[in-house]
Amino acid sequence: MGVDAFVNWLRDAAGVLHENAAYLTELDSAIGDADHGANMDRGFQAIVAVLDGTSFESADELLKKAGMTLVSKVGGASGPLYGTFFLRFGTALAGVSSINAEAVGKALHAGVEGVLARGKAELGDKTMYDAWAPALEAYDAAVAGGSEVGPALTAAAEAAAKGRDATVPLVARKGRASYLGERSAGHQDPGATSTTLILESAARTLA
Amino acid sequence: MKKLINDPGDVVSEALQGMAAAHPDRLRVDLENRIVYRKDAPRPGKVGLISGGGSGHEPMHGGFVGLGMLDAACAGEVFTSPVPDQMMAATKAVDAGAGVLHIVKNYTGDVMNFEMAAELAAADAGTEVQSVVTNDDVAVQDSLYTAGRRGVGVTVLLEKIVGAAAEEGQPLPQVADLARRVNDNGRSMGMALTSCTVPAAGKPTFDLADNEMEVGIGIHGEPGRQRLPLAPAREIAAMLVDPVVTDLPYQQGDSVIAFVNGMGGTPLIELYLMYNEVAQLLDRAGITVARSLVGNYITSLEMAGCSVTLLKVDDELVRLWDAPVNTPGLRWGA
């Protein structure tokens, strides 16, 4: 898998996040501060602007730049979290000669470890980690069963969607939704939703 | 949505241009990085004070830049924390060799972005940076099950008092200790009569019926802990003052700065009416009001409502509070 596949991923994710910006903001209005859609859209449009103006030699260079762009453009909690994800994801691919299912798995793990280090969330806190964690598990299981990148990412995206749906009844324990206490229950987590969109995009584009 | 704007995407940058145009005597605005600087920063030998946060809380923080308060304020998008690049640029620009203090309100995004900025600054070497996180909102339980208490009204009082100390030439460790002491002695609680509309979202963040209010709100239009039937100001004052007083606790004989803050959409006539209620409650509790502040200082766009902040003070804190300040948002003695 070459750098073009990752360019396609980022462009596709930017398109999907743009289409879903109002939806993400609506979810964030219920338990946050009504800015998640606008912030993700702004960050990924900035990545598209970088892609339009620069060509990248390697996937790691591309993804690190995408991460730094998110850190620089998004703000809020999602900027550092998604920025760190792509920075670590890219770093894990540095020097990898053949980007296969195993390499993508390592990169996914590295990215999610970065999210955890930055956000200190645990499973069930009603955060994006509730989508990332089952996605990693499903990805690993698929690869162990002999799947290539595409099908493994499809399994990961499906697991992320289940994790996202499972955030609905949870009481938030991290981020702005945690201020609501019990009142945060009954709402889907915006971060788990954007994570699922990004993984679904990966499943469509990385193969 | 009915707002005095041109394009929702341009609100923050056009407002910053307006600040630059309105206050050329006191401020210098880096429009590209969205940083409001004190015009004469950096001041040799003075600790640089930087704060920042989402926009929509005006006059905080840009309106508190100037003599006796902040050296720089980083503006994020509406209700969204600024990014590390801004904080890095501001830190470098205000460092005059005495180091820099970051004043951070306790929100997940603000804390993460300031942390990344501090890490990058450390890697970059040179500037000594300390951080203080404000977390005075008693509406949030400080527990493992929340992101911790929000930084609200005490941030304004802290920026004034610590700004005075930095202006006097106090060194960084002392300025940082003072900042922590102010935060430790301050508590706040807020309520809303209406929600507010983030320009990019275009509709109110939550719906509140004519006969309802939200108690325990923050400053981002987020819903509060409790939705209750609307009550007379006297009862609302007690709902705000009681949890604040019992939390620290403030005791008979204590002296405080009493701060009644408007959320942006409540007229001063109502804020003074609220202050009257608050002052009577404090008087009954035997708490002396050494100084007061009434007005819209840490707002949530056009939200109607108010917050009450108490800060326990001694002679030293009162002296620093009284020291000259000259910013667009607060000015006396200078």
Side-chain angles (χ1 to χ4, degrees), chain A residues 3-143:
Chain A
V3 65
D4 289 350
F6 292 99
V7 169
N8 291 341
W9 177 27
L10 293 171
R11 283 189 185 278
D12 182 83
V16 169
L17 289 166
H18 181 71
E19 281 162 32
N20 285 278
Y23 171 56
L24 291 172
T25 288
E26 193 183 311
L27 292 174
D28 196 27
S29 297
I31 55 172
D33 54 356
D35 64 1
H36 190 53
N39 289 346
M40 293 302 286
D41 189 26
R42 188 175 61 254
F44 274 81
Q45 290 308 317
I47 290 177
V48 168
V50 169
L51 295 175
D52 287 344
T54 323
S55 62
F56 291 87
E57 299 288 310
S58 65
D60 68 286
E61 194 194 333
L62 165 74
L63 292 157
K64 281 190 277 188
K65 180 66 185 175
M68 278 314 293
T69 303
L70 292 178
V71 169
S72 298
K73 296 291 177 193
V74 178
S78 36
L81 291 171
Y82 281 117
T84 301
F85 172 81
F86 283 104
L87 273 170
R88 302 275 179 100
F89 189 103
T91 304
L93 294 178
V96 176
S97 52
S98 150
I99 299 179
N100 56 18
E102 190 195 345
V104 169
K106 278 188 182 157
L108 278 172
H109 276 273
V112 175
E113 276 158 25
V115 169
L116 276 184
R118 185 71 55 204
K120 302 173 184 75
E122 289 174 25
L123 198 62
D125 281 352
K126 197 177 183 104
T127 70
M128 63 170 72
Y129 185 59
D130 291 336
W132 286 121
L136 286 183
E137 209 171 296
Y139 185 93
D140 291 346
V143 172

Side-chain angles (χ1 to χ4, degrees), chain B residues 15-215:
Chain B
L16 287 172
Q17 288 176 46
M19 285 200 78
H23 306 292
D25 53 328
R26 284 173 283 184
L27 305 179
R28 178 164 56 82
V29 180
D30 173 350
L31 292 170
E32 197 194 326
N33 285 309
R34 297 185 169 184
I35 302 168
V36 178
Y37 288 109
R38 176 173 168 170
K39 195 173 183 192
D40 56 358
R43 304 273 300 167
K46 178 185 172 302
V47 170
L49 296 189
I50 296 180
S51 191
S55 294
H57 307 306
E58 292 68 23
M60 191 184 76
H61 294 279
F64 299 141
V65 173
L67 181 141
M69 256 176 123
L70 300 175
D71 293 275
C74 306
E77 287 294 327
V78 172
F79 294 170
T80 300
S81 124
V83 298
D85 306 35
Q86 293 171 276
M87 297 151 185
M88 288 277 294
T91 302
K92 280 185 196 160
V94 306
D95 182 28
V100 175
L101 181 70
H102 288 173
I103 299 168
V104 187
K105 300 187 301 302
N106 189 34
Y107 296 97
T108 307
D110 293 68
V111 171
M112 277 185 203
N113 282 283
F114 269 104
E115 261 176 22
M116 289 194 90
E119 282 170 28
L120 293 167
D124 215 31
T127 302
E128 193 189 349
V129 178
Q130 288 212 31
S131 294
V132 59
V133 176
T134 61
N135 59 348
D136 52 306
D137 186 357
V138 304
V140 178
Q141 284 174 16
D142 191 8
S143 78
L144 289 173
Y145 305 107
T146 67
R149 287 184 160 171
R150 297 174 284 224
V152 286
V154 89
T155 315
V156 177
L157 309 182
L158 185 151
E159 288 176 0
K160 166 66 191 84
I161 288 170
V162 172
E167 201 70 50
E168 287 181 357
Q170 293 189 21
L172 181 58
Q174 208 171 317
V175 170
D177 282 349
L178 175 70
R180 290 183 192 106
R181 180 152 73 95
V182 170
N183 181 60
D184 289 347
N185 284 288
R187 296 288 188 277
S188 300
M189 176 93 168
M191 61 80 59
L193 298 170
T194 67
S195 180
C196 59
T197 299
V198 176
K203 52 186 179 184
T205 304
F206 56 89
D207 297 312
L208 207 48
D210 257 3
N211 58 352
E212 291 177 327
M213 61 179 181
E214 284 273 333
V215 177

